[in-house]
Amino acid sequence: MNTTAHPDTVLIIDFGSQVTQLIARRVREAGVYSEIVPFQSADEAFDRIKPKAVILSGSPASTVDTGSPRAPQAIFEAGIPVLGICYGEQTMCAQLGGKVEGGHHREFGRAFLEIEDECALFDGVWARGTRHQVWMSHGDRVTALPEGFRVVGTSTGAPFAAIADDKRRFYGVQFHPEVVHTPDGARLLSNFVHNIAGLAGDWTMAAYREQAVATIRKQVGDGKVICALSGGVDSSVAALLIHEAVGEQLTCILVDHGLMRQNEARDVVEMFRQHYNLPLILVDASDRFLSALEGEADPEKKRKTIGRLFIEVFEEEAKKLGGADFLAQGTLYPDVIESVSFTGGPSVTIKSHHNVGGLPERMNMKLVEPLRELFKDEVRALGKELGLPESFIGRHPFPGPGLAIRCPGGVTREKLDILRQADAIYLDEIRKAGLYDAIWQAFAVLLPVQTVGVMGDGRTYEFVCALRAVTSVDGMTADFYHYDMEFLGRAATRIINEVRGINRVVYDVTSKPPGTIEWE
């Protein structure tokens, strides 16, 4: 559910595509607010949101299969623009009287679109008679158009690769304009929301801030709020936003669970107490957490243990404060998206380190999540709007379970100390090389592997440390950072020389394609 009132919203109905989130990104980049909902709840969302336009996403499903997903029929009767992408085009055609067939020539990857006619979707971008690269991913194809539609683009495998019903403002494309492999795709989506839907493109962080403050005040009223301050950008921005809305009704609680990076608790407390007039309580619960985690190897049990203990600590602190009505968290839009099972897939079990599913009933508190509509880069923009220093806004993400999930296998105090030292050296070398801002997230992992090594005149039997660094914009997709060997050699040498317990360092070449679940 959206937490603020957006009068000009584009509703994106998700049929399970891996790149649906990119549609939302492109629409927001055009200055228009968008919200993704799974097709299962699209009827309710359409009635609630009352969007000014609708976009239908792609899907791994086939419209020719019995029981395949469909869009609410009401959207085609509401008099608003509709854009169908890939499966979205196919289901639109099938629902409006056209025909879709399977078993034809498939198109996956790069293809070329022949522009057959002028179209409002192509205004200022593609002209009739030209040819342009697009990205395809389909096996089925439209073979007959509904009444009122015309062909405006074709490809080798799709005779109806782009279609338009100008009178009803319905458009469909078989390709994916949201991905970078369709070079002009963002401009097509901009045409749809601005020129076709007539939306102004005035959704800014300043506007969001104003709306969010009003919504928080309305939600909280005279109630007391405790904020789970982790020290990261998300919870810090949430805390400042809520403080602006309700002032002294907010108390921030920073729980030092013994799994934070080197000196992190100290640095966060100093920043908030010196620069912001926020009530802040530091709770040293490290012994409690580490005792419960001692020797635990199962990553899911680690998360659940940490989550349970966090809740217990907040309950106890709330009682000391005389009770609280609300618990504030820095939940982001990717957390919400990936915690909803749109198509019955594995996403139903992921993001377990976020309380996006709610709180235990016994807490008798409601959640305040003022950032749950924002992507990571948008949170940083909001932080800048709120006056957070650039050095803090640009901090790399650090998931709630902290070093526990970067210490695969059994967690011990000794291993955490080794990892904490290695991680600090790694980040120090990144900063010295001027690479910190070029990397979205970097961290060290202490692998549950020990190897024999030779150091000086003796043998060692110590841990292997893996270094990871990725580039991203919004945290939904990412690629590994391409270090040069000189940097890696320098960082590895320092770690091996300065951290007793590590005798080997490797670089983890890992990417995050769309649809994967979480950064650890």
Side-chain angles (χ1 to χ4, degrees), residues 79-301:
I80 60 175
V82 181
L83 171 63
I85 295 174
C86 195
Y87 181 93
E89 179 199 49
Q90 294 169 9
T91 193
M92 179 164 63
C93 287
Q95 291 180 240
L96 294 177
K99 188 175 182 182
V100 180
E101 295 181 3
H104 290 282
H105 175 68
R106 299 184 302 170
E107 283 183 307
F108 292 95
R110 183 184 293 109
F112 290 91
L113 187 74
E114 305 286 346
I115 308 303
E116 303 292 339
D117 205 351
E118 303 293 336
C119 169
L121 204 60
F122 302 157
D123 279 353
V125 185
W126 293 339
R128 181 168 52 187
T130 58
R131 186 171 183 259
H132 302 275
Q133 178 185 313
V134 295
W135 194 258
M136 293 281 193
S137 181
H138 69 98
D140 301 345
R141 71 180 186 186
V142 176
T143 55
L145 292 180
E147 184 178 350
F149 280 86
R150 62 191 177 94
V151 180
V152 294
T154 63
S155 71
T156 302
F160 304 116
I163 59 175
D165 180 334
D166 304 283
K167 184 176 180 180
R168 288 185 288 182
R169 296 184 295 171
F170 293 168
Y171 299 86
V173 293
Q174 188 60 71
F175 57 91
H176 287 272
E178 67 272 30
V179 302
V180 295
H181 305 86
T182 300
D184 296 315
R187 296 174 65 191
L188 300 186
L189 291 170
S190 179
N191 273 348
F192 177 70
V193 298
H194 293 316
N195 301 345
I196 294 171
L199 303 181
D202 55 1
W203 189 73
T204 64
M205 280 303 106
Y208 185 91
R209 174 184 182 178
E210 182 179 341
Q211 292 172 337
V213 165
T215 301
I216 293 166
R217 285 174 180 161
K218 182 177 179 181
Q219 180 186 7
V220 171
D222 297 328
K224 293 181 180 179
V225 185
I226 58 174
C227 179
L229 191 64
S230 70
V233 177
D234 307 336
S235 63
S236 299
V237 171
L240 288 180
L241 190 63
I242 295 168
H243 187 254
E244 181 174 309
V246 298
E248 296 302 311
Q249 293 169 243
L250 169 70
T251 299
C252 294
I253 300 175
L254 174 61
V255 178
D256 184 354
H257 47 27
L259 303 167
M260 301 179 82
R261 283 176 153 160
Q262 196 169 73
N263 300 324
E264 187 150 30
R266 181 199 68 189
D267 294 344
V268 170
V269 169
E270 284 182 2
M271 185 187 75
F272 274 90
R273 285 182 176 166
Q274 291 179 12
H275 300 286
Y276 302 98
N277 188 27
L278 281 175
L280 172 59
I281 297 171
L282 174 62
V283 181
D284 184 356
S286 54
D287 286 341
R288 182 173 180 175
F289 276 79
L290 297 181
S291 295
L293 291 168
E294 190 83 37
E296 180 57 68
D298 186 293
E300 195 62 23
K301 288 182 180 178

Side-chain angles (χ1 to χ4, degrees), residues 26-40:
R26 302 296 172 256
V27 172
R28 292 188 183 191
E29 286 165 4
V32 175
Y33 180 72
S34 60
E35 184 170 341
I36 299 173
V37 298
F39 70 88
Q40 297 98 323

